[in-house]
Amino acid sequence: QSALQVSLASLPPLFVNFLLSSLLNATNRQARQTLILAGVVIVNVVVNLVLIPPLAQLGASIAALSATTTYTVLGLWATRPHLRLTAATARFMVRLAAASAIAAASGWLLSRATHVLISLALSTLIGGAAIVLCRVYRIAELRLLLQPFRRRPT
């Protein structure tokens, strides 16, 4: 079960990666995203080669976590010119991180007590409820997220 727990820890950065990937595509940075993905594949292969022989499934989960985190770091670096961190954006990110942490923690706790499929289904439902309870998405935040993609007068 520890391999599943490590894999669940990769969910919050994975959710961030969806946003970063979309931002890179929307800003016509597909080539940069391809380079980042190539780097992530290299990290994943190297960590797998090093950790799978001694740790088996746990090593593979650690490799997946390291690859996901690598994409998050490189994606944040690549999108920094397009990200304007305001107080409203920071509050949104804190609420999103809180909802992601609740989903990940529930998945980790449930994986210790139930079958993996049941824990996955329940943690998904709990994560959805956490998004609502943490008020992650409001109309103002959706407008804020769309703001960088609006055309500006030149």
Side-chain angles (χ1 to χ4, degrees), residues 6 43-66:
V6 172
V43 167
N44 193 17
V45 168
V46 169
V47 176
N48 271 312
L49 289 172
V50 170
L51 293 183
I52 287 178
L55 300 175
Q57 299 95 328
L58 180 60
S61 293
I62 292 169
L65 176 61
S66 66

Coordinates of all heavy atoms in Angstrom, one line a residue, residues 6 43-66:
V6 N 2.4 6.8 -2.1 CA 3.3 7.7 -2.9 C 2.7 8.2 -4.1 O 2.8 9.4 -4.5 CB 4.7 7.0 -3.1 CG1 5.6 7.8 -4.0 CG2 5.4 6.7 -1.8
V43 N 14.1 12.0 -16.7 CA 14.0 11.9 -15.2 C 13.3 10.6 -14.8 O 13.8 9.8 -14.0 CB 13.4 13.1 -14.6 CG1 13.1 12.9 -13.1 CG2 14.3 14.3 -14.7
N44 N 12.2 10.3 -15.4 CA 11.4 9.2 -15.1 C 12.1 7.9 -15.4 O 12.2 7.0 -14.6 CB 10.0 9.2 -15.8 CG 9.1 8.2 -15.3 OD1 9.2 7.7 -14.2 ND2 8.0 7.9 -16.1
V45 N 12.8 7.8 -16.5 CA 13.5 6.6 -16.9 C 14.7 6.4 -16.0 O 14.9 5.2 -15.5 CB 14.0 6.6 -18.4 CG1 15.0 5.5 -18.7 CG2 12.8 6.6 -19.3
V46 N 15.4 7.4 -15.7 CA 16.6 7.3 -14.8 C 16.2 6.8 -13.4 O 16.8 5.9 -12.8 CB 17.4 8.6 -14.8 CG1 18.5 8.6 -13.7 CG2 18.1 8.8 -16.2
V47 N 15.2 7.5 -12.9 CA 14.8 7.2 -11.5 C 14.2 5.8 -11.5 O 14.4 5.0 -10.5 CB 13.8 8.2 -11.0 CG1 13.2 7.8 -9.6 CG2 14.4 9.6 -10.9
N48 N 13.4 5.4 -12.5 CA 12.9 4.0 -12.6 C 14.1 3.0 -12.6 O 14.0 2.0 -11.9 CB 12.1 3.8 -13.8 CG 10.6 4.1 -13.6 OD1 10.0 3.7 -12.6 ND2 10.0 4.9 -14.5
L49 N 15.1 3.2 -13.4 CA 16.2 2.3 -13.5 C 17.0 2.2 -12.2 O 17.5 1.1 -11.8 CB 17.2 2.8 -14.6 CG 16.7 2.6 -16.1 CD1 17.7 3.2 -17.0 CD2 16.5 1.1 -16.4
V50 N 17.0 3.3 -11.5 CA 17.7 3.3 -10.2 C 16.9 2.6 -9.1 O 17.4 1.8 -8.3 CB 18.2 4.7 -9.8 CG1 18.7 4.7 -8.4 CG2 19.2 5.2 -10.8
L51 N 15.6 3.0 -9.0 CA 14.8 2.6 -7.9 C 14.0 1.3 -8.0 O 13.6 0.7 -7.0 CB 13.8 3.7 -7.5 CG 14.5 5.0 -7.0 CD1 13.5 6.0 -6.6 CD2 15.4 4.7 -5.8
I52 N 13.6 0.9 -9.2 CA 12.8 -0.3 -9.3 C 13.5 -1.6 -8.9 O 12.9 -2.4 -8.2 CB 12.2 -0.5 -10.8 CG1 11.1 0.6 -11.0 CG2 11.6 -1.9 -11.0 CD1 10.5 0.6 -12.3
P53 N 14.8 -1.8 -9.2 CA 15.4 -3.0 -8.8 C 15.4 -3.2 -7.2 O 15.0 -4.3 -6.8 CB 16.8 -2.9 -9.3 CG 16.7 -2.1 -10.5 CD 15.6 -1.1 -10.2
P54 N 15.7 -2.2 -6.5 CA 15.7 -2.4 -5.0 C 14.3 -2.2 -4.4 O 14.0 -2.8 -3.3 CB 16.6 -1.4 -4.4 CG 16.6 -0.3 -5.4 CD 16.4 -0.9 -6.8
L55 N 13.4 -1.4 -5.0 CA 12.2 -1.1 -4.3 C 10.9 -1.6 -5.0 O 9.8 -1.4 -4.5 CB 12.1 0.4 -4.1 CG 13.2 1.1 -3.3 CD1 13.0 2.6 -3.3 CD2 13.2 0.5 -1.9
A56 N 11.0 -2.1 -6.2 CA 9.9 -2.7 -6.9 C 8.8 -1.6 -7.1 O 9.1 -0.5 -7.7 CB 9.3 -3.9 -6.2
Q57 N 7.6 -1.9 -6.7 CA 6.5 -0.9 -7.0 C 6.7 0.4 -6.3 O 6.3 1.5 -6.9 CB 5.1 -1.5 -6.5 CG 4.7 -2.8 -7.2 CD 5.1 -4.0 -6.3 OE1 6.1 -4.0 -5.7 NE2 4.3 -5.0 -6.4
L58 N 7.2 0.4 -5.2 CA 7.5 1.7 -4.5 C 8.5 2.5 -5.3 O 8.3 3.7 -5.4 CB 8.0 1.4 -3.1 CG 8.4 2.6 -2.2 CD1 7.1 3.5 -2.0 CD2 9.0 2.2 -0.9
G59 N 9.5 1.9 -5.9 CA 10.4 2.6 -6.7 C 9.7 3.3 -7.9 O 10.0 4.4 -8.3
A60 N 8.8 2.5 -8.5 CA 8.1 3.1 -9.7 C 7.2 4.2 -9.3 O 7.1 5.2 -10.0 CB 7.2 2.0 -10.3
S61 N 6.6 4.1 -8.1 CA 5.8 5.2 -7.6 C 6.6 6.5 -7.3 O 6.2 7.6 -7.6 CB 5.0 4.8 -6.3 OG 4.0 3.8 -6.7
I62 N 7.8 6.3 -6.7 CA 8.7 7.4 -6.4 C 9.1 8.0 -7.8 O 9.2 9.2 -7.9 CB 9.9 6.9 -5.6 CG1 9.4 6.5 -4.2 CG2 10.9 8.0 -5.5 CD1 10.4 5.8 -3.3
A63 N 9.4 7.2 -8.8 CA 9.8 7.7 -10.1 C 8.7 8.6 -10.7 O 8.9 9.6 -11.2 CB 10.2 6.6 -11.0
A64 N 7.4 8.1 -10.6 CA 6.3 8.8 -11.1 C 6.1 10.1 -10.4 O 5.9 11.2 -11.0 CB 5.0 8.0 -11.0
L65 N 6.3 10.1 -9.1 CA 6.2 11.4 -8.3 C 7.3 12.3 -8.7 O 7.1 13.5 -8.8 CB 6.3 11.0 -6.8 CG 6.3 12.2 -5.8 CD1 5.0 13.1 -6.0 CD2 6.5 11.8 -4.4
S66 N 8.5 11.8 -8.9 CA 9.6 12.7 -9.2 C 9.4 13.3 -10.6 O 9.7 14.5 -10.9 CB 11.0 12.0 -9.2 OG 11.0 11.0 -10.1

